Every structure is written in C-alpha cells, then in structure tokens.
Amino acid sequence: MGPQDAHWQGRLALKVHGTPAQAFSATFELLGNADAGVLSFFTPLGSTAARLQWDGAGAQLQTTGEPQQFASLDALTLQTTGATLPVASMFAWLKGDEPVTPGWQVDLRDLANGRINAQRLAPEVPAELKIILDH
C-alpha cells in the first residue's frame, strides 16, 4: 500500500428504502483508496461473505462461486445492494473530509467516536448508511 492508502475496519449497516426495502449489516474491512481498493464483508463467525475489489479497469465481486465483473464500483454496488454507494466518498469521510457527494448528506459530528451516518436523499431510492469503526 502506498502513502495515500488506508485501512479501516468495523461494522457497516445499509438500509435501502426501495421496493422491496433491503437491509444489510456486517463487519467490514476497507483497504486502499478511492481509485483502487478492497472492501470485505464478514459473517458473524468471521468468514468472508463478500469481497469487492476495484481499480481503474473496473470492479469485481467475489462471493461463493465465480467472481462477477462490473464496469465500475458504482455498477457493482447498485447490482448487489440496490443502491449506488459512495465508496469513494467513504474514504474522505473516514478521514474527516466532506466532499460534495451528489444526493448524499453525511454527518461526521461523531467521527471522533468512530461513527459516521450518511443518507441518500436523491435522485435514487433513499438509503441510510451507518459506519461504526473499531478502535
């Protein structure tokens, strides 16, 4: 990893208010940066449930079976969660920055305690994203 790369872990919860509504919660590990990285989700017993990997050439989802290829990280998150998640912005949020993220509103007031709350208000289906970091 280079000087712009980072490593975070904790719990992530996503609620997508679509039809039907979807909810997802898991422990996670995030490595890399907005341009190239890996986001892994783990089961309660600690095994890997899903691994998202991306770089300039596209994105890949590894669960059970063959890896699935996507043109972009946005396409991958939309297909798997029903929402385009702002993974690139998550790196900035975790560092305490608030980049303009169209449609998303982030609350970093509790970041010192390892908590981030974000909501997507528009133009897609409303969603809530909560991150709790391990200390």
Side-chain angles (χ1 to χ4, degrees):
M1 290 199 304
Q4 297 299 317
D5 292 342
H7 174 236
W8 291 279
Q9 58 189 33
R11 282 201 59 77
L12 181 144
L14 173 67
K15 194 179 294 182
V16 179
H17 301 282
T19 306
Q22 295 184 42
F24 170 80
S25 177
T27 56
F28 77 93
E29 180 178 55
L30 178 64
L31 304 164
N33 59 54
D35 297 321
V38 176
L39 175 58
S40 298
F41 294 105
F42 302 98
T43 69
L45 296 177
S47 62
T48 302
R51 183 171 188 248
L52 291 68
Q53 187 169 353
W54 65 92
D55 59 25
Q60 179 181 64
L61 172 65
Q62 177 69 52
T63 55
T64 57
E66 291 295 315
Q68 298 176 27
Q69 302 294 327
F70 295 86
S72 67
L73 186 55
D74 284 349
L76 187 160
T77 61
L78 179 61
Q79 176 71 31
T80 56
T81 68
T84 303
L85 299 180
V87 176
S89 292
M90 283 174 50
F91 283 96
W93 297 344
L94 289 161
K95 293 177 183 177
D97 298 329
E98 293 184 49
V100 174
T101 306
W104 285 86
Q105 181 178 17
V106 65
D107 179 354
L108 298 179
R109 290 178 291 187
D110 210 14
L111 182 59
N113 295 316
R115 295 178 182 271
I116 296 173
N117 293 304
Q119 293 184 354
R120 183 178 57 212
L121 307 173
E124 296 179 49
V125 176
E128 298 172 45
L129 177 65
K130 296 179 186 284
I131 298 172
I132 301 174
L133 298 173
D134 291 344
H135 290 289

